[in-house]
Amino acid sequence: MDVRPSGIHHVTAIASDPQANAGFYLNALGMRLVKRTVNFDAPDTYHLYYGDRAGNPGTVMTFFPWPDAPRGRLGAGQATTTSFSVPEGSLGWWQRHLASLGIEAARPAERLEEDVLSLRDPDGLQIELVASADFHDTDPWDGGGVPTEHAIRGIRAVTLTEHDLEGTAAMLDGRLGFRLAAEQGNRFRFHTNEAAAGVGTVVDVIADPRAQRGLVAAGTVHHVAYRAPDRPTQDGWRRTLAADGVDVTEIRDRSYFTSIYFREPGGVLLEIATDGPGFDYDEPLLELGRRLRLPPWLEPKREQIERSLPELTVPGQD
Ligand code: ZN
């Protein structure tokens, strides 16, 4: 069974105020709200999905916004940075754009032969914009104030911070099909394929034995999802992991994909999500994100759910 992943499917993080979260990802980063739904496991909380025009796998960043969530702590056992691809030559435009919105960003720095602009979202989540030549088959969104020529193409990479490299590297390399491709200091770069072409094909591991353990709350990543092309592949992957002694969940129906979850040895929660059915499964592509969508089993409770959710106004989409 080939369990080689085709890259990151989505990254899910925790936010506090949904309005501030939407403002940042839609207006500042220019992403599209591709789904407004609830956390299927806690339906009094939003689950907001941002992505390219269609929410293609590899472009999607999602949030559980809990208005009263305390600030989390970045640290070991976490995905501590999420990096997005932007076209080469765009970082100057991004610096001016972010400055015009009063958003602080570090000066671009070179790392492993790439230019990187670092910033934080309103809850302190670490974000990077990476100038990258390869941005393949995504469909950038230009409805949020970022022109297509500079728009985010998708997720470039996640960075995992770990107390030690060994266990995590063994899982990435052995079970998940990544290969160590480069290193710089205590940063170890793994690729899903030779050229690391396409979105979401890179994982960096920072090995830091002295790092404090991370605390998952607002401003931290909850889990990282990798792509399975279809349900039989996902099922094969699940059986392989289980046979290897990994504690992996049953397949769960997330409406827009199905999912399995497990932890890598350093503690980061990982998911394998199918590419389909996709975000136009329950509303037309042109109308993605405009209305609250609920899975069939929560639809009977719509009134109660809507009453419990905080107000959320999305410019141009309401
Ligand atoms: Zn997920």
Side-chain angles (χ1 to χ4, degrees):
M1 180 90 208
D2 181 14
V3 293
R4 201 168 170 81
S6 44
I8 293 166
H9 185 287
H10 65 268
V11 174
T12 293
I14 295 172
S16 54
D17 177 29
Q19 194 67 60
N21 179 258
F24 181 84
Y25 287 91
L26 301 176
N27 303 331
L29 294 194
M31 297 169 84
R32 184 181 191 190
L33 182 65
V34 294
K35 193 62 61 185
R36 184 193 306 221
T37 185
V38 294
N39 181 343
F40 289 4
D41 302 324
D44 57 347
T45 309
Y46 277 119
H47 194 178
L48 304 177
Y49 289 74
Y50 308 107
D52 73 352
R53 186 178 306 274
N56 283 305
T59 73
V60 178
M61 181 86 202
T62 96
F63 287 90
F64 299 129
W66 288 317
D68 300 321
R71 210 31 109 79
R73 183 176 66 222
L74 295 171
Q78 272 184 347
T80 43
T81 303
T82 306
S83 307
F84 295 96
S85 278
V86 298
E88 278 188 314
S90 281
L91 290 186
W93 182 90
W94 277 99
Q95 276 186 290
R96 292 190 296 279
H97 169 68
L98 293 167
S100 77
L101 298 172
I103 296 167
E104 274 182 51
R107 293 176 66 81
E110 198 188 315
R111 192 183 61 213
L112 288 167
E113 296 170 23
E114 293 178 323
D115 290 324
V116 178
L117 182 65
S118 302
L119 63 149
R120 285 175 180 255
D121 86 353
D123 289 297
L125 192 80
Q126 289 192 150
I127 300 286
E128 291 176 345
L129 300 179
V130 180
S132 173
D134 64 279
F135 34 81
H136 305 277
D137 50 356
T138 66
D139 189 4
W141 175 240
D142 59 4
V146 175
T148 309
E149 62 189 297
H150 301 301
I152 284 175
R153 262 48 189 181
I155 295 173
R156 167 70 176 158
V158 291
T159 301
L160 313 181
T161 298
E162 304 284 6
H163 278 146
D164 70 302
L165 176 66
E166 217 169 277
T168 301
M171 179 171 262
L172 287 172
D173 199 324
R175 295 198 180 97
L176 298 184
F178 286 80
R179 296 289 174 263
L180 182 63
E183 51 184 280
Q184 185 176 77
N186 65 343
R187 176 183 295 269
F188 298 85
R189 173 155 296 182
F190 294 81
H191 287 173
T192 55
N193 57 39
E194 288 296 315
V199 290
T201 51
V202 176
V203 176
D204 278 359
V205 179
I206 291 183
D208 183 357
R210 289 186 309 271
Q212 238 189 328
R213 192 109 197 124
L215 184 71
V216 175
T220 65
V221 168
H222 185 265
H223 64 265
V224 178
Y226 287 94
R227 295 172 63 177
D230 51 37
R231 179 85 177 246
T233 310
Q234 179 181 54
D235 198 39
W237 205 321
R238 192 190 167 282
R239 278 184 276 116
T240 305
L241 286 163
D244 280 352
V246 177
D247 187 11
V248 54
T249 66
E250 294 299 317
I251 293 176
R252 294 182 187 162
D253 181 3
R254 299 315 195 191
S255 287
Y256 315 106
F257 42 85
T258 59
S259 300
I260 58 172
Y261 302 85
F262 57 98
R263 287 187 191 276
E264 56 83 33
V268 181
L269 184 62
L270 301 180
E271 172 184 351
I272 307 290
T274 51
D275 279 0
F279 293 101
D280 59 355
Y281 162 75
D282 62 353
E283 58 188 342
L285 193 58
L286 284 171
E287 293 174 18
L288 293 184
R290 287 192 188 164
R291 277 180 285 280
L292 181 74
R293 307 306 309 187
L294 297 174
W297 63 91
L298 290 176
E299 201 54 63
K301 293 183 180 165
R302 174 176 281 273
E303 220 172 285
Q304 181 193 335
I305 289 171
E306 284 182 344
R307 267 203 309 272
S308 68
L309 290 169
E311 185 106 348
L312 177 62
T313 311
V314 178
Q317 297 201 12
D318 283 287

